[in-house]
Amino acid sequence: MSELLPRIIGMALRPVQVNIKAVDARAVGRFWAEALGWHAYSPGATTYVGPGGGLVWPHPTAVGIDVVPVPERKTTKNRVHLDLATTSAAHQAELIARLEALGATRADVGQGKVPWTVLADPEGNEFCVLEPREIYRDTRPIAAVVVDCADPRAMARFWDEALDWTLHEVSDDHASLRSAAGVGPYLEFLRTPDVKTVPDRVHLDLLPHPGDDKAAEVARLRALGATGLDIGQGDVPWTCLTDPEGHEFCVLAPTV
């Protein structure tokens, strides 16, 4: 249903991790591992959080979390956040209590009286613990990666072409995509009045499929409306871009 360019057969990217910047990456990684019931792995400077059973990357059914150390502290509300799924009212209450015991704090982002609870991790990154919803019954712990935006329809057009995921819903206020296999979290775009003022502290990392050409994928994304981004990353194997509304994301080097 895209109004942009026809997808080139065999070319599309998959979200493999949510990248979170943190002053204390290991502590934030440990928090998210405990929060999700996953494991934290620190093979290098970053801390990767994924399902247990040993480090599997990219994971075939989950979108992991990669916590990256930075010197700057968070200064404003994030425009990308996680929604966590629950299976019952009791589960929601138990999860909130457990998260607060782990160091999460209540957050007020102007949500008013809603059935979900807004929390923040130990460095202030907002996330939501949702009330039980049928649509998220099989997502496992992360229900959705939610992106604040001005135009969900336009974002859906771009991201539907960028990814190998399936578009599920599009309206003036909300759009969602999910893995074509129907596993893992949704990627959702939510209309908000917020204006982007600082670099995103949370962003998606995308990965080409084995054998695909990263440079060709980056060129395809630029043709769809992505813009190159120089954040002083220097000579690295990934490419930093922004989507049509300025949200940063990275295209990683493909696995062999």
Side-chain angles (χ1 to χ4, degrees):
M1 61 177 295
S2 173
E3 299 170 11
L4 294 173
L5 303 176
R7 179 177 291 141
I8 300 172
I9 295 175
M11 293 188 69
L13 296 155
R14 48 192 164 143
V16 291
Q17 61 195 26
V18 176
N19 186 297
I20 300 178
K21 297 180 176 68
V23 174
D24 190 341
R26 296 209 172 193
V28 172
R30 287 194 299 270
F31 169 84
W32 281 104
E34 292 286 344
L36 301 174
W38 287 358
H39 287 194
Y41 307 90
S42 297
T46 72
T47 298
Y48 178 77
V49 178
L55 177 57
V56 176
W57 192 95
H59 197 277
T61 63
V63 175
I65 295 175
D66 196 38
V67 188
V68 178
V70 295
E72 306 85 7
R73 294 193 176 276
K74 181 177 181 287
T75 59
T76 189
K77 174 182 172 290
N78 290 337
R79 301 197 74 226
V80 180
H81 73 267
L82 299 180
D83 281 352
L84 305 189
T86 63
T87 57
S88 67
H91 180 209
Q92 183 186 20
E94 290 163 4
L95 179 57
I96 291 166
R98 186 168 67 81
L99 292 167
E100 290 181 318
L102 290 171
T105 54
R106 302 276 175 144
D108 185 351
V109 294
Q111 68 268 26
K113 187 175 181 180
V114 292
W116 59 89
T117 297
V118 183
L119 299 174
D121 74 12
E123 290 203 8
N125 298 297
E126 301 88 358
F127 65 98
C128 297
V129 180
L130 302 179
E131 76 284 3
R133 300 185 192 180
E134 180 64 18
I135 190 173
Y136 302 131
R137 69 188 183 281
D138 60 353
T139 61
R140 302 292 175 91
I142 301 176
V145 180
V146 183
V147 181
D148 293 351
C149 67
D151 188 345
R153 289 187 183 276
M155 292 289 274
R157 287 193 294 271
F158 173 82
W159 285 96
D160 182 37
E161 291 292 345
L163 305 180
D164 64 355
W165 283 19
T166 299
L167 191 61
H168 280 259
E169 177 190 342
V170 183
S171 72
D172 290 343
D173 296 319
H174 180 263
S176 67
L177 301 95
R178 195 185 188 196
S179 157
V183 296
Y186 286 80
L187 174 61
E188 300 184 354
F189 299 96
L190 182 66
R191 181 187 292 276
T192 65
D194 299 341
V195 176
K196 181 177 167 67
T197 57
V198 299
D200 292 330
R201 204 161 177 88
V202 181
H203 70 257
L204 280 174
D205 284 342
L206 313 180
L207 184 68
H209 288 274
D212 281 356
D213 185 330
K214 182 172 80 74
E217 284 287 0
V218 169
R220 186 176 68 85
L221 292 170
R222 287 177 179 271
L224 291 170
T227 303
L229 176 66
D230 185 353
I231 54 175
Q233 66 267 29
D235 185 15
V236 292
W238 60 86
T239 299
C240 300
L241 299 169
T242 60
D243 71 16
E245 287 203 12
H247 297 95
E248 295 92 354
F249 66 95
C250 294
V251 180
L252 308 180
T255 55
V256 177

